[in-house]
Amino acid sequence: MTTTFSQAIMRNFLGNSPVWYKQAIIGFLILNPILLMVAGPVTTGWVLIFEFIFTLALALKCYPLQPGGLLAIEAIAIGLASPESVYHEVSGNLQVILLLMFMVAGIYFMQGMLLWIFTKILLNVRSKIYLSLLFSISSAFLSAFLDALTVTAVLISVGVGFYSVYHKVASGKHSDHAHDHGNDDAIHEVNRSELEDFRGFLRSLLMHGAVGTALGGVCTLVGEPQNLLIAEKAGWDFITFFTLMAPITMPVLVAGLLTCALLEKTKAFGYGAKLPDNVRAILEDFAAKEDAKRTLRDKAQLGVQIVVAIFLVFALALHLAEVGLIGLTIIILLTAFNGVVEEHQIGKAFEEALPFTALLVVFFSIVSVIHDQHLFQPIIHAVLSMDIDAQPGLFFIANGVLSAISDNVFVATVYINEVVAALNADEITREHFDALAIAINTGTNIPSVATPNGQAAFLFLLTSALAPLIRLSYGKMVVMALPYTIVMSLVGYSAVVIAL
């Protein structure tokens, strides 16, 4: 069959993505310059946002870096944003980029310890409700003192570990055999339905854990990047921040945990899947064999990982350095004391983090368009012009909606800067400023669980190597997050209206 040069180019474009997906991206790239000339930059900017969300929503069809990157490059080329503004956004978020580059890689070298600990938990806690609550509470607690992306990296590492162990055995191989757990061709027919049940089990645990990062992350100054930003603008220390947020964050935390238990009880929205007995037996056998063959050197490596993990918690809680630099320290300690000294061994740790880091930089390019075209300012000014007593609740709603479709760090930055400007201009009192700052923080953290692009931790999970393994798509995440979104947003809004 003869293939023309143009057909070859089309086949290479975005690789194995569906033809209709390729055509959609090409259509977007043709539409945007025309729309800019006809409707202007503001309309084109909003269309670009939804086009980018389209690439995120179909992340399993094509990794969003390529199509989203093409949209970002075009946006800069046609003048919706400048290279300088993109660089400004990237440099302003260097902490997050360093976090992804080094902390996620650092967690990679703790996989042995994490898999050992979570395997013990998984095999000893047989109640799915209790296990789900344990995952959610652990994620919330860790996120309150660490960072949501770090905690999500732990969850991903554990999930991949569980999945790969079962997938290898279900394919008829022994634990010491090389195996591609991304390929189901070798799965025995009798194990295929069991594999689907196991995927459902892991999906529910991972989603409970991901929501847990939001429940805990909103509570403290170090839980989310925008928390620190807001606290610096408001002049709050760690205790002050926690105390001011508690009237909203504590009811939301309780409501979130009750929702977790209820979802597992009712088995609604894709939850409720239990660990199949045969999978449990395989994991128990794996754990027993690992314990039996563990040498003195292996135990020493495990001990080093535990000591470094304790150091990690204290270093992050006490903020000894920026999170990314602490991550680099973790990499150095774990590799040096556990004998990982070859370049290719170290390089594997960065395979998971760097594609997402590149995607995040592309995301900042889209944020630059939002900033340069002032897409959110009309909404902010409309809210500030309304009745003072109604403003905290309205800020919570406006922040929530914009964070769900955009980036909660950017939304928080824009809103808090506008409120600081109003305070400096004596348009609002200090007491009212504090109320609005609380509403901004809770609004950007809580309702943004609705979509993966609203929460960086959710987006990290969606674009991770684990998501396609357990069939966790954008749409599936939105559906599974929906009950949490409704309950947490309603409780959060009610608490804001009552407390502020």
Side-chain angles (χ1 to χ4, degrees), residues 34-175:
I34 298 173
L35 194 62
L36 179 62
M37 290 186 291
V38 174
V42 173
T43 300
T44 308
W46 278 107
V47 170
L48 179 73
I49 290 173
F50 289 109
E51 289 171 351
F52 188 71
I53 291 173
F54 171 86
T55 67
L56 298 176
L58 297 173
L60 297 185
K61 300 295 182 184
C62 178
Y63 192 69
L65 174 63
Q66 290 78 23
L70 289 173
L71 292 171
I73 292 170
E74 182 185 62
I76 296 168
I78 63 178
L80 290 178
S82 66
E84 291 76 19
S85 64
V86 174
Y87 179 77
H88 177 74
E89 285 294 333
V90 171
S91 61
N93 288 278
L94 183 61
Q95 295 175 358
V96 179
I97 293 172
L98 289 176
L99 163 70
L100 284 170
M101 288 176 62
F102 296 133
M103 185 60 77
V104 175
I107 295 300
Y108 174 87
F109 294 109
M110 290 186 183
Q111 282 183 334
M113 179 203 68
L114 294 170
L115 188 58
W116 176 69
I117 292 174
F118 278 89
T119 299
K120 299 296 183 186
I121 294 173
L122 183 70
L123 298 180
N124 287 299
V125 181
R126 290 185 172 268
S127 168
K128 181 64 186 305
I129 294 178
Y130 291 151
L131 186 62
S132 299
L133 283 171
L134 188 60
F135 262 69
S136 188
I137 292 171
S138 300
S139 298
F141 178 80
L142 290 173
S143 294
F145 293 96
L146 309 182
D147 180 272
L149 286 171
T150 303
V151 177
T152 305
V154 172
L155 295 176
I156 291 170
S157 176
V158 170
V160 171
F162 287 156
Y163 185 88
S164 61
V165 167
Y166 171 73
H167 199 276
K168 184 179 291 186
V169 175
S171 300
K173 297 182 179 180
H174 297 291
S175 58

Side-chain angles (χ1 to χ4, degrees), residues 183-213:
N183 188 342
D184 289 350
D185 292 344
I187 295 290
H188 295 170
E189 198 61 38
V190 294
N191 295 327
R192 289 189 178 273
S193 62
E194 187 175 75
L195 177 60
E196 289 304 316
D197 292 339
F198 187 39
R199 281 171 173 154
F201 172 81
L202 288 177
R203 275 197 306 268
S204 59
L205 278 188
L206 266 292
M207 283 302 295
H208 287 314
V211 173
T213 64

Side-chain angles (χ1 to χ4, degrees), residues 456-469:
F458 277 43
L459 185 60
F460 186 35
L461 175 59
L462 175 67
T463 56
S464 70
L466 179 61
L469 299 179

Side-chain angles (χ1 to χ4, degrees), residues 382-397 427-429 431-433 435-436 439 493-500:
V383 174
L384 282 175
S385 65
M386 293 183 180
D387 183 69
I388 288 180
D389 293 334
Q391 284 183 20
L394 291 172
F395 263 74
F396 181 89
I397 295 172
E427 295 175 6
I428 57 175
T429 64
E431 183 181 6
H432 189 54
F433 168 84
L436 293 181
Y493 175 75
S494 300
V496 165
V497 171
I498 294 170
L500 303 181

